Amino acid sequence: MSRFRAQLGSKLVTAVTGGALTVGLARLLEPNGYGVFSLALAISSIFMFAARFGIARSAGRYVAEYKETDGAQIPYIIRTSLLLNVGSILAVVILFVASHRSIAARLNQPALVPFLLLGCLFVVFGALVEYTEHVIQGFEAITFAAILRSCGRLSRLFLALGLVIAGFGAIGALWGYVLSLLLATVIGGVYLYTTVREYGADASEVESGLRRRIAKYALPVMATNASLVLDKRIDTLLVGFFLSPVSVSYYVVGGKIVSLALAPIAALSFTISPTFGAQKAAGNVDRVSRIYEKTLVNALLLYFPAGAGIILVADPMINLVFGPDYSGAVAVVRVLGLYIVLSAVVQISDNGLDYLGRARERAIARLTTALMNVGLNILLIPAIGVVGAAIATVFTRGLYTVANLVIITSELDLRPGFLLRKLGLIAASTIAMSTVVFGLMDHVSGWLTLGLVVTVGVLVWGVMSVATGLLQPRSLVGFVT
């Protein structure tokens, strides 16, 4: 529980700082400037995903396995995976430098050129931070991972906003991102070095086939990373290609709201994923199954009403928080409200499949639905605008959610009847809450009335959840205290 609290605290810091940064940059840069910045960040993130090459997750998986069985192999795992990671980063950065001008020209956005050149540093440090986080997760040093993430996000907030306020504009915001990643890289690298040294001298020789297995396991993870690019970044790029930076800003604002809402479940997923693998390796399939069921029910208990609430309050929320210039994001947020519910299920299942040894199947499902997402974006964005990108994202996320559940069901001993009964009770609580909030929306005229409506909705949800036995007040008080 302490690990979860630490990671939840980190995710809350990430959510708060990320929300403040999104609102601050959106208001300071206005839709066009924020759209150019977001488009550059999306393109740089695509190259960063490629630079990671799946090595980080592979290293984390083998660290988690060998620290329990043969700790002397840990230095070999770190050395091999780090060399592979540095090699992939260098190759991708060379490609990025060579192509950044042609990318800006293809998008008909010459203003992107300096952003993309700076994006090369974003790729380097972003990939290294990702590596340290996953390896630290493999060591189950969740508290330090939480501290590292919090430091990175806090420094990003102050550096990015500070440089924009100082007059450096959107390029200053990107410099803030790069400098915060550099700081996290240094802190994480020092911690990782001291942790590996604790395992003492190297083994007399590396276990036969270990290096090959690290590289081999990275391949399906790389495919998953490629699908993540197609699923989470290409849509932003296509919005910029078919529409404009202003439309990009609408889509990014909608996506940021979703990311903030999913912060708690992402913390839980990050924390329990190594437990799945460890418990299964010990033969405790029934225990893993009960953990998964409980986690899934609690996730849906929170995110069913959260998704419904965001759909209902999208209009006043966007106009009050981001300003009327971003009213075009309202329809995007309403569609993505469904994405929140689906992603809650995916967050619980997705990382766990890696630690259960089902990365290959997950990669196939992810890549297939990601390719469908690209195709739907190409069809829908020119036809119905930025909302088309949101519809494509929700539809393909639904298919991927189903695939995750099929794979996890084949791996664990779940109880369908139990889960369906709980789902029915959660749906009843959500409908009751939504009915009350919908009836009160006409009275929303500002921050105070919006806050009151949201509070009433939370109270109705809480009462219904307690009445149906979904929420145990004693357990909640125990967690908080």
Side-chain angles (χ1 to χ4, degrees):
M1 182 62 72
S2 60
R3 295 191 309 170
F4 172 61
R5 286 176 177 172
Q7 192 63 19
L8 178 60
S10 169
K11 291 294 183 181
L12 289 176
V13 170
T14 298
V16 172
T17 57
L21 184 58
T22 297
V23 174
L25 291 179
R27 283 187 170 273
L28 289 170
L29 300 176
E30 299 183 344
N32 188 69
Y34 186 59
V36 171
F37 165 77
S38 299
L39 188 57
L41 202 60
I43 295 168
S44 300
S45 297
I46 290 172
F47 281 91
M48 186 187 73
F49 275 114
R52 284 157 48 178
F53 203 73
I55 300 299
R57 284 187 183 273
S58 180
R61 186 248 171 140
Y62 282 102
V63 164
E65 178 180 334
Y66 277 87
K67 73 182 178 63
E68 301 293 340
T69 59
D70 187 3
Q73 297 294 327
I74 294 294
Y76 284 120
I77 294 171
I78 299 300
R79 187 181 306 132
T80 299
S81 59
L82 188 57
L83 286 173
L84 289 172
N85 207 35
V86 170
S88 65
I89 290 170
L90 288 175
V92 169
V93 166
I94 290 171
L95 177 62
F96 197 8
V97 171
S99 62
H100 75 284
R101 290 185 179 275
S102 61
I103 292 171
R106 288 296 182 94
L107 292 171
N108 196 28
Q109 294 291 335
L112 278 174
V113 171
F115 288 89
L116 297 184
L117 192 58
L118 179 57
C120 295
L121 293 179
F122 177 87
V123 169
V124 172
F125 298 122
L128 290 175
V129 168
E130 182 77 12
Y131 175 83
T132 57
E133 285 186 351
H134 278 289
V135 174
I136 289 170
Q137 183 187 16
F139 281 114
E140 295 191 77
I142 303 300
T143 300
F144 181 80
I147 294 171
L148 179 64
R149 181 175 289 271
S150 297
C151 289
R153 294 305 186 271
L154 282 168
S155 62
R156 176 181 297 181
L157 172 67
F158 291 112
L159 287 168
L161 286 182
L163 289 171
V164 172
I165 293 171
F168 292 96
I171 196 72
L174 189 55
W175 265 112
Y177 274 62
V178 170
L179 292 174
S180 67
L181 288 172
L182 172 60
L183 176 63
T185 299
V186 173
I187 296 173
V190 170
Y191 179 86
L192 198 57
Y193 175 75
T194 56
T195 300
V196 173
R197 287 189 63 185
E198 292 177 0
Y199 283 83
D202 290 353
S204 57
E205 60 180 19
V206 64
E207 181 180 305
S208 176
L210 179 58
R211 292 191 179 104
R212 178 184 57 80
R213 292 199 302 275
I214 292 172
K216 183 178 179 181
Y217 192 82
L219 293 177
V221 177
M222 178 192 172
T224 300
N225 285 343
S227 61
L228 280 170
V229 170
L230 297 176
D231 199 33
K232 294 182 177 294
R233 293 292 183 265
I234 290 292
D235 47 2
T236 304
L237 183 60
L238 290 173
V239 170
F241 179 77
F242 286 115
L243 302 175
S244 67
V246 173
S247 296
V248 170
S249 71
Y250 295 158
Y251 191 68
V252 169
V253 163
K256 291 293 185 182
I257 291 173
V258 169
S259 298
L260 294 177
L262 290 171
I265 197 66
L268 183 58
S269 172
F270 188 92
T271 304
I272 67 171
S273 292
T275 303
F276 287 168
Q279 290 294 328
K280 191 191 175 201
N284 300 326
V285 175
D286 186 67
R287 177 171 170 75
V288 176
S289 302
R290 301 294 81 79
I291 292 173
Y292 177 82
E293 285 179 346
K294 184 176 181 179
T295 306
L296 180 62
V297 169
N298 288 336
L300 292 175
L301 176 61
L302 177 63
Y303 282 100
F304 250 72
I310 286 175
I311 291 171
L312 289 169
V313 305
D315 192 355
M317 177 179 63
I318 291 294
N319 282 283
L320 287 171
V321 175
F322 293 95
D325 288 344
Y326 288 90
S327 58
V330 171
V332 174
V333 172
R334 284 177 172 159
V335 173
L336 292 178
L338 298 173
Y339 181 90
I340 290 174
V341 179
L342 297 170
S343 291
V345 179
V346 170
Q347 286 281 1
I348 294 300
S349 310
D350 214 21
N351 288 337
L353 290 175
D354 278 353
Y355 286 89
L356 290 171
R358 300 298 293 271
R360 179 178 178 275
E361 292 85 349
R362 183 174 78 100
I364 293 171
R366 171 76 80 172
L367 187 58
T368 301
T369 54
L371 289 171
M372 291 179 63
N373 186 40
V374 173
L376 284 173
N377 270 286
I378 293 172
L379 289 174
L380 294 178
I381 292 174
I384 59 177
V386 67
V387 176
I391 292 172
T393 297
V394 170
F395 179 76
T396 53
R397 175 50 61 114
L399 295 178
Y400 182 62
T401 302
V402 172
N404 259 253
L405 290 174
V406 170
I407 298 171
I408 206 81
T409 300
S410 69
E411 194 72 22
L412 303 179
D413 183 20
L414 303 180
R415 299 170 293 177
F418 169 81
L419 292 174
L420 288 174
R421 285 194 301 273
K422 293 294 186 181
L423 183 59
L425 294 174
I426 292 169
S429 299
T430 301
I431 291 170
M433 181 212 74
S434 301
T435 302
V436 172
V437 171
F438 181 76
L440 295 173
M441 285 306 298
D442 288 341
H443 300 286
V444 174
S445 57
W447 283 102
L448 179 60
T449 48
L450 177 61
L452 289 173
V453 168
V454 171
T455 301
V456 170
V458 172
L459 289 174
V460 171
W461 166 79
V463 170
M464 287 292 296
S465 298
V466 172
T468 55
L470 292 167
L471 192 62
Q472 303 293 332
R474 288 184 179 179
S475 298
L476 184 61
V477 171
F479 170 75
V480 174
T481 58

